């Protein structure tokens, strides 16, 4: 079974052979971020932890897009968007709205959540299930709507 890190390395090699320089830079940056955490924490990251790094990279770029659009720099915003698309290929398939609603309902029942006070418990129980497959902000909004 190939790990997420191996997949990233394979795509990096293919990108090098194809001489796609803009993509290559993004994938190298992703790989460097993963390596940096492994060095800092002195351990090899598993797929879940690599997924967290990928999500963090995407979130940073989304924040940059907002800043660039606020500064009326569409050229830089579209560059960041292109980088998100390159990095997103390593994420698992996104959850459908129905799947998301279903696991949120199950989590609320399992955690016996009745009010907004229980929001944290529900969100924490869902984190491993939605990792890389759903936007945490969207999930949070759905939970709020159900508990309100």
């Amino acid at each position: 079974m190939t790990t997420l890190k191996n997949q990233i390395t394979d795509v990096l090699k293919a990108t090098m052979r194809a001489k796609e320089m803009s993509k290559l830079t993004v994938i190298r940056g992703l790989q460097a971020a993963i390596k940096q955490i492994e060095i800092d924490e002195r351990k090899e990251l598993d797929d879940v932890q690599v997924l967290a790094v990928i999500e963090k990279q995407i979130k940073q770029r989304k924040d940059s897009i907002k800043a660039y659009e606020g500064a009326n720099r569409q050229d830089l915003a579209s560059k960041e968007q292109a980088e998100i698309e390159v990095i997103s290929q390593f994420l698992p398939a996104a959850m459908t709205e129905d799947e998301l609603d279903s696991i949120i309902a199950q989590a609320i029942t399992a955690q016996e959540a009745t009010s907004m006070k229980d929001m944290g418990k529900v969100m924490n129980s869902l984190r491993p299930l939605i990792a890389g497959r759903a936007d945490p902000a969207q999930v949070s909004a759905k939970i709020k709507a159900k508990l309100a």
Side-chain angles (χ1 to χ4, degrees), residues 82-102:
E83 290 182 7
I84 287 175
E85 287 165 21
V86 172
I87 296 171
S88 294
Q89 69 181 318
F90 301 109
L91 292 175
M95 286 185 160
T96 64
E97 289 293 315
D98 294 339
E99 284 179 301
L100 204 52
D101 291 338
S102 170

Side-chain angles (χ1 to χ4, degrees), residues 55-73:
E55 286 178 327
K56 185 176 179 189
Q57 293 281 314
I58 290 173
K59 184 182 182 314
Q60 286 173 344
R61 283 169 174 80
K62 283 181 178 174
D63 292 345
S64 297
I65 288 172
K66 281 188 186 130
Y68 290 143
E69 286 174 346
N72 210 12
R73 290 294 308 266

Side-chain angles (χ1 to χ4, degrees), residues 5 11 15 20 31 36 38 43 46-47 52 68 82-83 90-92 95 97 104-105 109 115 128 133 137 147:
K5 271 182 21 183
V11 170
T15 307
E20 297 176 66
Q31 217 174 24
Q36 186 62 52
E38 287 183 332
K43 68 175 184 180
D46 62 15
D47 279 358
Y68 290 143
E83 290 182 7
F90 301 109
L91 292 175
M95 286 185 160
E97 289 293 315
I104 290 172
T109 306
S115 68
R133 297 188 63 207
L147 291 178

Side-chain angles (χ1 to χ4, degrees), residues 5-148:
K5 271 182 21 183
N6 292 345
Q7 279 182 324
I8 293 170
T9 303
D10 293 343
V11 170
L12 178 78
K13 289 175 186 172
T15 307
M16 286 168 94
R17 281 189 212 101
K19 294 182 172 60
E20 297 176 66
M21 292 325 214
S22 57
K23 239 175 127 175
L24 186 63
T25 306
V26 177
I27 297 171
R28 277 189 175 145
L30 175 61
Q31 217 174 24
I34 293 167
K35 278 268 189 285
Q36 186 62 52
I37 292 172
E38 287 183 332
I39 291 168
D40 291 349
E41 296 181 8
R42 291 187 176 86
K43 68 175 184 180
E44 188 145 337
L45 299 184
D46 62 15
D47 279 358
V48 174
Q49 293 162 318
V50 171
L51 209 54
V53 174
I54 292 171
E55 286 178 327
K56 185 176 179 189
Q57 293 281 314
I58 290 173
K59 184 182 182 314
Q60 286 173 344
R61 283 169 174 80
K62 283 181 178 174
D63 292 345
S64 297
I65 288 172
K66 281 188 186 130
Y68 290 143
E69 286 174 346
N72 210 12
R73 290 294 308 266
Q74 198 53 48
D75 55 330
L76 295 173
S78 53
K79 179 182 175 282
E80 295 287 325
Q81 185 59 47
E83 290 182 7
I84 287 175
E85 287 165 21
V86 172
I87 296 171
S88 294
Q89 69 181 318
F90 301 109
L91 292 175
M95 286 185 160
T96 64
E97 289 293 315
D98 294 339
E99 284 179 301
L100 204 52
D101 291 338
S102 170
I103 66 160
I104 290 172
Q106 290 170 4
I108 288 173
T109 306
Q111 298 296 324
E112 296 174 2
T114 53
S115 68
M116 287 303 290
K117 284 191 314 195
D118 304 317
M119 171 93 184
K121 285 194 307 191
V122 175
M123 195 64 195
N124 286 335
S125 72
L126 285 173
R127 269 190 220 296
L129 300 173
I130 63 166
R133 297 188 63 207
D135 178 17
Q138 179 191 13
V139 174
S140 176
K142 283 181 175 278
I143 295 170
K144 280 181 186 154
K146 288 193 193 287
L147 291 178

